[in-house]
Amino acid sequence: MRAIWYSDQGPATDVLTLGESDEPAPGPGEVAVLVKASGVNPSDVKQRAGLRGPMSVARQIPHSDGAGVIKAVGEGVDPARIGERVWLFNAAFKRAHGTCAEVCVLPSEFAARLPDDTRFEEGACLGVPAITAHRALFCNGPISGKTVLVTGGAGAVGLLAIQLAKWAGAHQVITTVSSPEKAEAVIAAGADEVINYRRQDVAEAVDAVTEGEGVDHIVEVELGGNLKESIAILRQGGVIATYGSEAERTPELPLYDLLFKNIQLVTIFVYLLKVEQRVDAVHDINRALREGALRPVIHDVFDLADAPLAHECVEAGNKVGAVLVRI
Ligand SMILES: NC(=O)c1ccc[n+]([C@@H]2O[C@H](COP(=O)([O-])OP(=O)(O)OC[C@H]3O[C@@H](n4cnc5c(N)ncnc54)[C@H](OP(=O)(O)O)[C@@H]3O)[C@@H](O)[C@H]2O)c1
């Protein structure tokens, strides 16, 4: 089969190799999937660059997310799954066979049924971003009637978080962006209020759009950089659910400011969710897709041979939505 792989970490154009590789066979509990599209996430790119520790396997086919059709099943998996359209997640997390290949083998539970009306390219946008968005929104129970702030709303996670928050009945979804183009994208995703965090004072702007009430729940892409404002705008008992803090990787915690408002700080690492959290996420994501409420945004699609360009596009950091590789 044709595949992209790397055996050393480094710059994308140096280490990503396109070639013929042996097709893997599914082991017990696994499925083999004919991949149609592969999703490129920041974590795939950081892992390849060597920014997330050493390689866990000698030769890595990258990318955890994707979509395709099950072509074979291993022992213990219902053969009725053969032919099923699926979206994939966790494929490359501590595993050699990611989705950037014609065939990907992974545990059956990491291949979720893709709704009939959802295209493969849309399915490949889901894994990491949609499950992270779901967990960040629902980590403290339902958000119906709540006021939610999604920081970095035009990111892959942010756009899906806005859509899921609206779908789940949030009272008001506020989001932050850095440019007019990103503002357009979040409005299309359903945001009620948009704040340009580079030009506006976020705390003042939130105060204005919530008429001084503040927010109940924050889906946070940059914990350290935004923490001061987050504490200021959260109501008592509010939640910060964070999945990143790239600008300030070791943020200082003003504990008593958090404590005196009973603020809950929840951290999320999507690859290691509990089984029931993952099952809940897949269930809700598929329902939202079927109801037309979740519409993944695709920034760009690259050919397999151009996988290094797809990595560079994610690395550049100014995308709106998902970057995919067409298999
Ligand atoms: N913990 C986990 O399990 C998990 C899961 C998914 C993603 N992540 C991490 O989360 C980050 C985002 O992932 P992604 O796929 O959504 O990336 P993405 O598509 O590149 O989006 C990131 C967004 O964050 C915005 N942003 C950056 N700093 C911000 C700030 N201080 N305030 C508000 N917005 C800000 C960026 O916009 P501007 O640059 O225009 O501001 C961009 O729109 C990555 O570092 C990724 O590795 C972690």
Side-chain angles (χ1 to χ4, degrees):
M1 64 173 186
R2 291 172 84 224
I4 292 282
W5 67 80
Y6 60 93
S7 306
D8 292 301
Q9 293 166 310
T13 44
D14 291 359
V15 300
L16 291 180
T17 305
L18 170 66
E20 281 294 324
S21 183
D22 290 341
E23 191 173 311
E30 293 182 332
V31 294
V33 177
L34 201 56
V35 182
K36 305 285 189 184
S38 173
V40 190
N41 282 288
S43 62
D44 299 311
V45 166
K46 292 174 201 167
Q47 185 62 36
R48 183 266 304 143
L51 302 175
R52 286 289 181 270
M55 295 177 62
S56 57
V57 293
R59 199 184 79 146
Q60 180 75 59
I61 294 177
H63 308 168
S64 279
D65 296 349
V69 179
I70 294 180
K71 64 172 285 195
V73 299
E75 193 190 318
V77 180
D78 185 351
R81 290 209 76 183
I82 294 171
E84 188 181 319
R85 298 169 79 250
V86 286
W87 58 276
L88 313 176
F89 48 90
N90 280 17
F93 181 67
K94 300 196 186 304
R95 309 185 73 261
H97 296 292
T99 61
C100 205
E102 284 172 337
V103 176
C104 171
V105 158
L106 78 177
S108 177
E109 65 268 26
F110 296 163
R113 178 181 286 278
L114 187 65
D116 292 344
D117 292 338
T118 306
R119 293 181 295 116
F120 289 118
E121 287 189 350
E122 294 172 316
C125 301
L126 298 171
V128 166
I131 297 175
T132 302
H134 183 275
R135 190 69 212 139
L137 280 170
F138 301 106
C139 58
N140 193 43
I143 55 152
S144 167
K146 293 192 176 168
T147 300
V148 176
L149 171 67
V150 176
T151 64
V157 177
L159 286 164
L160 295 170
I162 292 168
Q163 295 179 9
L164 281 174
K166 293 299 290 181
W167 170 77
H171 159 67
Q172 189 180 29
V173 179
I174 306 165
T175 191
T176 60
V177 296
S178 64
S179 67
E181 298 72 38
K182 290 190 173 183
E184 269 178 39
V186 296
I187 289 167
D192 298 305
E193 302 289 344
V194 186
I195 299 167
N196 184 321
Y197 76 95
R198 295 234 171 100
R199 294 201 190 143
Q200 293 173 267
D201 179 305
V202 173
E204 273 176 20
V206 168
D207 202 52
V209 298
T210 62
E211 297 177 347
E213 294 290 325
V215 305
D216 299 295
H217 193 107
I218 301 179
V219 173
E220 183 56 86
V221 67
E222 175 52 51
L223 178 71
N226 297 333
L227 190 53
K228 199 165 152 245
E229 287 85 3
S230 301
I231 293 171
I233 62 180
L234 271 172
R235 293 178 187 168
Q236 273 186 33
V239 176
I240 304 174
T242 184
Y243 58 96
S245 194
E246 283 297 313
E248 283 194 34
R249 292 185 56 79
T250 52
E252 274 184 25
L253 276 195
L255 180 70
Y256 283 93
D257 294 342
L258 292 161
L259 184 150
F260 288 139
K261 281 181 111 173
N262 264 339
I263 290 171
Q264 294 183 57
L265 178 58
V266 179
T267 61
I268 290 147
F269 184 52
V270 69
Y271 295 113
L272 292 178
L273 294 185
K274 291 181 184 164
V275 173
E276 63 270 23
Q277 294 170 343
R278 228 173 34 224
V279 168
D280 270 3
V282 167
H283 175 264
D284 284 353
I285 290 163
N286 272 358
R287 254 188 65 202
L289 285 168
R290 282 195 298 269
E291 292 171 16
L294 201 54
R295 291 160 279 108
V297 174
I298 298 170
H299 177 80
D300 209 346
V301 186
F302 294 83
D303 287 333
L304 187 61
D306 291 330
L309 299 181
H311 276 226
E312 287 178 350
C313 178
V314 172
E315 247 154 10
N318 55 5
K319 68 194 180 68
V320 175
V323 171
L324 305 179
V325 173
R326 185 186 297 116
I327 308 293

